[in-house]
Amino acid sequence: MRKVLITGATGLLGRALMRIFNENGFDVIGTGFSRAQSPIVKLDLTQHKTVTQFLNETKPDIIIHAAAERKPDVCENNHVHTKALNLSVTEHLSQEAARLNAQFFFISTDYVFDGKTPPYTETDTLNPLNFYGETKAQGEQIVLNTCKTHTVIRVPVLYGQVETLSESAITVIAHQVKQRSNNAHDNWAIRYPTHVDDIALTLVDLCQVTNTNIGGIFHVSDNQAYTKYQIACIAAKQLEIDETTLSPINEPSQVASRPHNCALQDRRLKQLNICHSRPFEQAFIACVQPLLTH
Ligand SMILES: NC(=O)c1ccc[n+]([C@@H]2O[C@H](COP(=O)([O-])OP(=O)(O)OC[C@H]3O[C@@H](n4cnc5c(N)ncnc54)[C@H](OP(=O)(O)O)[C@@H]3O)[C@@H](O)[C@H]2O)c1
């Protein structure tokens, strides 16, 4: 049984990875930080010596590095913390994976692109607009330079089973609509919300392909396009709130610059016949409904 180590196992994507890798017969170890509770191991990834010791003890065959600071506004306001987690930790884990001869997957983002010329292929030129995207782009380079079988997985905005509606940039919209705390929603940025279970299922498949097909960059993205305003309208319908009380914001509106449209083309996955997708509207409602009734 292959042993997979998942960092960020307490996070939105990490929890799905833990569940789906377990269901698919892997020996799974997860690490988290502030939310870690047994069986998830509490491990501050910025403590490199402790991490090396942990890796020597656990000897994973596969490392999926999903831990990151991923909130663009937090990254913009705290460069030191963001560099430590998104760059130094990534470099250390990437080198350690090479030393242990473990397969390494680094979760990156569509924010490495500027969003001006979609759709983007795996080999298109990067031009991040904010500090979060910059650290992820640099992290990718470090990973790719470390070992030719190390793999970068670029994903767009994620949603799935959330602990609170505010956990994901997609599910928080339902919360805002319900609370009527925000009636105006971005209608400028085009997003491709992707369910974390589909990312996890894709990674399971990638762990089964031969070594010659792995390494380099993979795009993993659903292709259903929505603005936050359109998602707010779906939530309003579900909550039986009059849609006309919502208003679209038709120009960029956030602190850290966001790209307009980073549609990711998943050419390499298509070549491998790997495709996991689900209808957005039903999946979104299934994620938010249990938390909307409280
Ligand atoms: N969410 C999105 O929409 C989105 C979009 C594009 C790309 N991504 C990328 O996808 C990956 C997963 O994102 P996510 O949404 O699942 O993130 P998340 O929910 O914010 O989770 C972040 C994870 O990092 C862990 N962490 C933070 N500081 C740590 C430290 N010092 N040591 C060890 N672990 C630490 C957290 O642990 P605790 O919570 O236990 O402290 C948590 O498990 C990230 O690489 C992110 O950049 C996410």
Side-chain angles (χ1 to χ4, degrees), residues 47 62 120 221:
Q47 302 301 308
I62 301 163
Y120 292 94
S221 174

Side-chain angles (χ1 to χ4, degrees), residues 5-11 13-14 17-18 29-32 43 45 63-68 89 93 104-105 107:
L5 171 72
I6 295 163
T7 73
T10 48
L13 175 60
L17 289 166
M18 290 294 292
I29 308 168
T31 74
L43 183 68
L45 295 170
I63 299 175
I64 302 178
H65 178 35
V89 165
L93 284 176
F104 188 73
F105 293 93
I107 309 297

Side-chain angles (χ1 to χ4, degrees), residues 13-55:
L13 175 60
R15 296 194 305 271
L17 289 166
M18 290 294 292
R19 179 167 39 79
I20 285 175
F21 272 78
N22 262 312
E23 285 167 6
N24 281 276
F26 287 81
D27 179 7
V28 186
I29 308 168
T31 74
F33 188 40
S34 60
R35 288 179 281 174
Q37 280 182 352
S38 179
I40 307 270
V41 180
K42 180 168 184 155
L43 183 68
D44 182 352
L45 295 170
T46 63
Q47 302 301 308
H48 294 191
K49 276 192 186 147
T50 316
V51 172
T52 296
Q53 206 179 333
F54 178 76
L55 292 170

Side-chain angles (χ1 to χ4, degrees), residues 28-168:
V28 186
I29 308 168
T31 74
F33 188 40
S34 60
R35 288 179 281 174
Q37 280 182 352
S38 179
I40 307 270
V41 180
K42 180 168 184 155
L43 183 68
D44 182 352
L45 295 170
T46 63
Q47 302 301 308
H48 294 191
K49 276 192 186 147
T50 316
V51 172
T52 296
Q53 206 179 333
F54 178 76
L55 292 170
N56 285 339
E57 283 159 15
T58 51
K59 295 189 178 59
D61 304 298
I62 301 163
I63 299 175
I64 302 178
H65 178 35
E69 180 48 72
R70 53 104 180 152
K71 296 192 179 96
D73 294 341
V74 173
C75 294
E76 219 62 45
N77 291 324
N78 197 338
H79 283 206
V80 175
H81 155 75
T82 305
K83 276 171 136 173
L85 193 52
N86 292 4
L87 282 179
S88 306
V89 165
T90 300
E91 179 169 27
H92 181 238
L93 284 176
S94 171
Q95 288 170 351
E96 288 295 85
R99 177 178 69 83
L100 295 165
N101 207 15
Q103 217 171 348
F104 188 73
F105 293 93
F106 170 59
I107 309 297
S108 187
T109 169
D110 57 349
Y111 276 26
V112 294
F113 296 116
D114 60 19
K116 292 176 184 155
T117 53
Y120 292 94
T121 68
E122 291 85 350
T123 50
D124 278 338
T125 308
L126 309 189
N127 185 26
L129 297 183
N130 55 39
F131 192 67
Y132 167 63
E134 274 175 40
T135 59
K136 284 297 203 175
Q138 287 172 34
E140 286 188 1
Q141 215 43 60
I142 289 167
V143 169
L144 295 170
N145 288 340
T146 305
C147 178
K148 71 176 188 328
T149 55
H150 279 10
T151 304
V152 167
I153 303 288
R154 288 193 191 128
V155 301
V157 65
L158 303 176
Y159 71 103
Q161 272 175 21
V162 282
E163 290 179 336
T164 61
L165 288 173
S166 59
E167 197 183 2
S168 137

Side-chain angles (χ1 to χ4, degrees), residues 152-221:
V152 167
I153 303 288
R154 288 193 191 128
V155 301
V157 65
L158 303 176
Y159 71 103
Q161 272 175 21
V162 282
E163 290 179 336
T164 61
L165 288 173
S166 59
E167 197 183 2
S168 137
I170 297 301
T171 53
V172 74
I173 300 168
H175 179 68
Q176 291 163 347
V177 172
K178 186 185 177 202
Q179 300 300 106
R180 294 177 166 80
S181 58
N182 177 11
N183 287 333
H185 297 268
D186 186 288
N187 194 39
W188 173 82
I190 296 163
R191 297 289 176 255
Y192 299 84
T194 299
H195 199 290
V196 284
D197 288 12
D198 290 327
I199 306 286
L201 289 164
T202 301
L203 277 158
V204 164
D205 285 351
L206 284 174
C207 286
Q208 327 276 14
V209 303
T210 57
N211 242 9
T212 47
N213 283 323
I214 211 73
I217 301 161
F218 282 84
H219 286 177
V220 187
S221 174

